[in-house]
């Protein structure tokens, strides 16, 4: 078996991965963090993070992530861009296929996070970039003084609806129940905002569009089945997330929803493979919980490597 090039390889550069990298580097483990695109994960498309302790008044997601990155690199964490296609468990070492090339390590921390879920309605894909978006911070400014809708009732949907009131003439928040899931403080703000209208007990039934893009949608009442048309030029879909775990479905145990099964110790069913952040089975998915996971995963990896080294 080939000698491991790294002690730990961390897959994913969001808050969980970067914290794992910080702790692993401080523990003097030879560590590499691989990120598919841009370091920072979902926080890069988040406007204001209000519940990260130490920043009264909040801090912008990208700014917070830039600080995370600077901090972990300060302790010697190596970072690189690459897509991990497969991970092979050889027992004491793990092989990662990264853009077709092999890399080896003694422990892997899976911090691949999650991506926005689609509505799954006909025509959705064709309208992406022509009115349908999954990121208010990225696309909100394109919708100045026009009516738009946000779909969902969670923290993301309500935060996005509030943010979008800066641009849109009206924001229709479409939620499938008669009660929002979002944190109470966000609910209070949404209910008090004159630009936000809530379409309760409603789901999107279909899209309406012309050559220029989205022009409206048909909403269906989840109680009565009645439909009604709304005129909108933009629709921001915020109906939750899907964990990025497709490439490891044959490696570690997943739930039906695709989350990696692991408890607070971040251990998967495979020794030497740990999971941290939004892709793990957990009751809360926040920057604070991702950070906690990253720290624990790095400690678990360190202990695993020490045990391996003692067996030699
Ligand atoms: P979420 O909490 O899972 O909420 C998804 C929302 O979309 C729910 O209201 C759900 O309705 C609705 N929904 C799901 N599938 C739908 C469908 N097919 N059609 C219509 N509506 C649908 O997802 P999220 O808001 O993206 O948040 C993800 C995680 O990140 C959560 O843990 C959240 O707390 C966290 N987060 C935190 C903050 C913050 O702390 N500032 C900000 C953003 C996100 P039901 O309510 O009926 O299930």
């Amino acid at each position: 078996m080939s000698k491991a090039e790294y002690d730990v390889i961390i897959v994913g550069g969001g808050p969980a991965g970067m914290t794992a990298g910080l702790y692993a580097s401080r523990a003097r483990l030879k560590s590499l963090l691989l990120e598919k695109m841009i370091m920072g994960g979902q926080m890069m498309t988040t406007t204001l993070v209000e519940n990260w302790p130490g920043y009264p008044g909040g801090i912008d997601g990208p700014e917070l992530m830039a600080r995370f990155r600077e901090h972990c690199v300060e302790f010697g964490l190596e970072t690189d861009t690459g897509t991990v296609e497969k991970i092979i468990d050889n027992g004491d070492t793990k092989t990662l296929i990264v853009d077709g090339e092999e890399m080896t390590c003694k422990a892997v921390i899976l911090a691949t996070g999650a991506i926005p879920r689609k509505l799954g309605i006909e025509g959705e894909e064709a309208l992406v970039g022509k009115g349908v978006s999954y990121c208010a911070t990225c696309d909100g400014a394109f919708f100045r003084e026009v009516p738009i809708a946000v779909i969902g009732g969670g923290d993301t949907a309500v935060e996005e609806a509030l943010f979008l009131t800066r641009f849109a003439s009206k924001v229709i928040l479409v939620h499938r129940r008669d009660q929002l899931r979002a944190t109470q403080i966000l609910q209070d703000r949404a209910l008090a905002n004159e630009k936000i209208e809530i379409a309760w007990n409603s789901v999107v039934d279909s899209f309406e569009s012309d050559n220029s893009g989205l022009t409206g949608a048909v909403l269906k009442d989840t109680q009565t089945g009645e439909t009604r048309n709304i005129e909108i030029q933009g629709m921001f879909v915020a109906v939750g997330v899907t964990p990025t775990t497709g490439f490891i479905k044959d490696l570690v145990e997943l739930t039906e929803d695709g989350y990696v099964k692991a408890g607070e110790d971040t251990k998967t069913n495979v020794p030497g493979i740990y999971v941290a952040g939004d892709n793990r089975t957990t009751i809360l998915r926040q920057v604070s919980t991702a950070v906690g996971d990253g720290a624990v995963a790095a400690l678990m990896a360190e202990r695993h490597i020490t045990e391996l080294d003692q067996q030699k």
Side-chain angles (χ1 to χ4, degrees):
M1 202 177 296
S2 60
K3 194 173 169 289
E5 297 163 89
Y6 288 94
D7 289 319
V8 188
I9 295 184
I10 299 149
V11 188
M18 285 200 268
T19 305
L22 169 64
Y23 274 70
S25 304
R26 280 194 88 227
R28 294 280 180 253
L29 297 176
K30 187 166 165 40
S31 315
L32 171 70
L33 187 153
L34 289 169
E35 165 58 46
K36 192 159 35 175
M37 287 194 296
I38 305 163
M39 296 272 279
Q42 288 179 82
M43 277 297 109
M44 297 306 279
T45 55
T46 299
T47 41
L48 196 65
V49 183
E50 276 187 329
N51 49 5
W52 176 245
Y55 286 91
I59 177 167
D60 282 343
E63 190 188 338
L64 182 60
M65 289 304 98
R67 291 180 187 219
F68 268 51
R69 184 179 184 167
E70 193 185 330
H71 199 172
C72 56
V73 168
E74 183 182 287
F75 285 106
L77 176 69
E78 248 182 81
T79 65
D80 204 352
T81 310
T83 301
V84 179
E85 289 149 4
K86 197 174 177 189
I87 301 173
I88 302 153
D89 175 32
N90 314 307
D92 290 358
T93 65
K94 320 291 171 197
T95 304
L96 285 78
I97 312 297
V98 186
D99 297 322
E101 303 281 326
E102 280 192 8
M103 287 185 141
T104 52
C105 60
K106 296 176 186 169
V108 174
I109 297 174
L110 303 165
T112 49
I115 55 164
R117 199 185 287 152
K118 309 247 182 320
L119 281 175
I121 294 173
E122 199 185 326
E124 184 176 358
E125 230 159 275
L127 285 167
V128 174
K130 291 181 173 180
V132 173
S133 169
Y134 304 87
C135 174
T137 42
C138 318
D139 300 326
F142 296 123
F143 299 91
R144 287 180 196 271
E145 296 308 323
V146 293
I148 59 159
V150 174
I151 319 301
D155 286 331
T156 306
V158 178
E159 272 189 356
E160 295 209 339
L162 287 162
F163 171 73
L164 288 163
T165 58
R166 295 185 197 179
F167 312 103
S169 56
K170 178 168 87 169
V171 178
I172 305 171
L173 183 61
V174 180
H175 183 40
R176 64 183 179 184
R177 293 188 290 130
D178 61 359
Q179 205 181 358
L180 295 170
R181 180 182 287 277
T183 309
Q184 195 61 45
I185 192 168
L186 294 173
Q187 292 194 30
D188 294 346
R189 284 182 199 159
L191 292 168
N193 194 309
E194 284 177 359
K195 274 191 170 182
I196 297 179
E197 175 191 315
I198 305 186
W200 298 107
N201 299 316
S202 301
V203 289
V204 179
D205 193 53
S206 58
F207 301 108
E208 289 180 342
S209 60
D210 62 18
N211 289 342
S212 63
L214 187 76
T215 56
V218 177
L219 300 187
K220 188 174 175 181
D221 189 302
T222 54
Q223 308 285 303
T224 64
E226 277 172 28
T227 57
R228 71 175 173 111
N229 290 55
I230 54 168
E231 275 183 28
I232 46 166
Q233 288 183 29
M235 181 188 286
F236 289 83
V237 178
V239 294
V241 292
T242 305
T244 311
T245 53
F247 74 110
I248 45 167
K249 67 180 188 331
D250 300 324
L251 175 76
V252 290
E253 260 184 67
L254 305 180
T255 64
E256 262 181 32
D257 299 339
Y259 290 96
V260 181
K261 287 188 187 174
E264 297 301 307
D265 62 8
T266 75
K267 288 181 178 175
T268 70
N269 60 312
V270 180
I273 301 191
Y274 308 92
V275 58
D278 282 8
N279 55 356
R280 178 172 83 82
T281 47
T282 177
I283 52 161
L284 189 62
R285 295 188 174 90
Q286 307 267 305
V287 183
S288 51
T289 51
V291 161
D293 272 9
V296 172
L299 177 70
M300 292 296 121
E302 184 193 356
R303 286 187 183 167
H304 174 76
I305 290 163
T306 305
E307 274 174 31
L308 287 180
D309 291 348
Q310 281 168 354
Q311 283 164 15
K312 278 184 190 161

